Amino acid sequence: ETGVTQSPTHLIKTRGQQVTLRCSSQSGHNTVSWYQQALGQGPQFIFQYYREEENGRGNFPPRFSGLQFPNYSSELNVNALELDDSALYLCASSLGTGGEQYFGPGTRLTVT
Amino acid sequence: DQQVKQNSPSLSVQEGRISILNCDYTNSMFDYFLWYKKYPAEGPTFLISISSIKDKNEDGRFTVFLNKSAKHLSLHIVPSQPGDSAVYFCAASGASGTYKYIFGTGTRLKVLA
């Protein structure tokens, strides 16, 4: 059974740029959730995708957008990057929207 | 508005003793609670969960207790081992099928050999 994988591991971008982060869900899981973890904080929910549709969204602006593919992998896109977007971005997959979420190792994004 | 609070940023415990990590929540609509463990450079790892219809759930060395009237849950680790040293997050979610986990800020546990 393959766990949740994320790419890239680290990324450095300049303010105003755009970034795409990728996530492959655990085999058999059809739901992907994205979280942002700032330094010293717990993960904060960004949004969830279930069967290629957005299933719910946290308190993040529209410049945070996502996509889920037929194989249940997912992308997180962030436009017009701001310095405060610097964080660890975590992807979690689950079987169904209410299932226990299993996390990937995260992508560390630094915006300069 | 912090709906899930872990008021102890850190905890040190001797190997073999009990570790007790605490978590408080404010939203009475939460009905499912989880604990995750996080090592540096890794994602959070699911540890144990509890539904609001129970007040205790046990899995090996790990036991979670839920006190709904106090809106409080705790994680007990007995006996503590050096490999348990990590950051522990509690998380809560609403009614079954609700997607969103609300996390606390974490407690760093250090188990001393």
Side-chain angles (χ1 to χ4, degrees):
Chain A
E1 186 177 86
T2 310
V4 180
T5 60
Q6 292 186 243
S7 63
T9 306
H10 295 91
L11 202 51
I12 299 175
K13 288 286 189 178
T14 303
R15 191 171 47 184
Q17 285 188 317
Q18 177 265 341
V19 69
T20 297
L21 310 181
R22 294 178 174 83
C23 171
S24 290
S25 58
Q26 184 169 310
S27 58
H29 285 184
N30 55 12
T31 305
V32 172
S33 304
W34 286 92
Y35 292 82
Q36 180 195 66
Q37 186 180 11
L39 205 60
Q41 300 297 314
Q44 284 201 25
F45 176 79
I46 303 175
F47 43 55
Q48 183 184 76
Y49 278 84
Y50 172 64
R51 292 186 174 179
E52 303 178 59
E53 297 285 333
E54 186 179 292
N55 184 53
R57 190 177 184 92
N59 191 25
F60 281 81
R63 58 190 185 83
F64 286 77
S65 64
L67 205 55
Q68 187 179 32
F69 299 98
N71 66 353
Y72 304 127
S73 66
S74 177
E75 286 182 356
L76 164 65
N77 297 289
V78 188
N79 293 322
L81 284 167
E82 300 177 0
L83 296 178
D84 284 349
D85 296 332
S86 295
L88 179 68
Y89 287 84
L90 294 162
C91 159
S93 74
S94 58
L95 181 59
T97 58
E100 280 150 7
Q101 297 181 11
Y102 292 84
F103 285 82
T107 293
R108 173 73 60 188
L109 172 65
T110 302
V111 182
T112 61
Chain B
D1 177 29
Q2 193 75 20
Q3 296 186 69
V4 177
K5 300 177 186 179
Q6 294 177 257
N7 292 318
S8 298
S10 64
L11 175 69
S12 291
V13 171
Q14 284 295 132
E15 181 180 6
R17 305 294 290 266
I18 184 171
S19 295
I20 300 176
L21 296 97
N22 295 303
C23 180
D24 297 295
Y25 61 95
T26 58
N27 190 337
S28 57
M29 295 301 291
F30 289 147
D31 69 352
Y32 189 61
F33 304 89
L34 310 93
W35 284 95
Y36 283 83
K37 176 172 73 173
K38 187 177 186 302
Y39 294 119
E42 295 183 13
T45 302
F46 170 73
L47 206 52
I48 193 168
S49 62
I50 188 166
S51 163
S52 61
I53 62 172
K54 294 185 173 182
D55 54 19
K56 177 182 173 181
N57 188 27
E58 195 171 349
D59 184 0
R61 296 186 298 115
F62 302 92
T63 303
V64 56
F65 295 91
L66 175 62
N67 182 334
K68 289 187 289 295
S69 60
K71 294 192 179 71
H72 177 83
L73 65 154
S74 60
L75 174 68
H76 292 208
I77 306 174
V78 182
S80 301
Q81 300 173 353
D84 296 329
S85 297
V87 178
Y88 289 77
F89 291 97
C90 70
S93 73
S96 177
T98 301
Y99 44 86
K100 179 175 163 179
Y101 285 5
I102 307 295
F103 282 85
T105 53
T107 296
R108 182 176 301 278
L109 173 66
K110 189 171 184 179
V111 180
L112 307 168

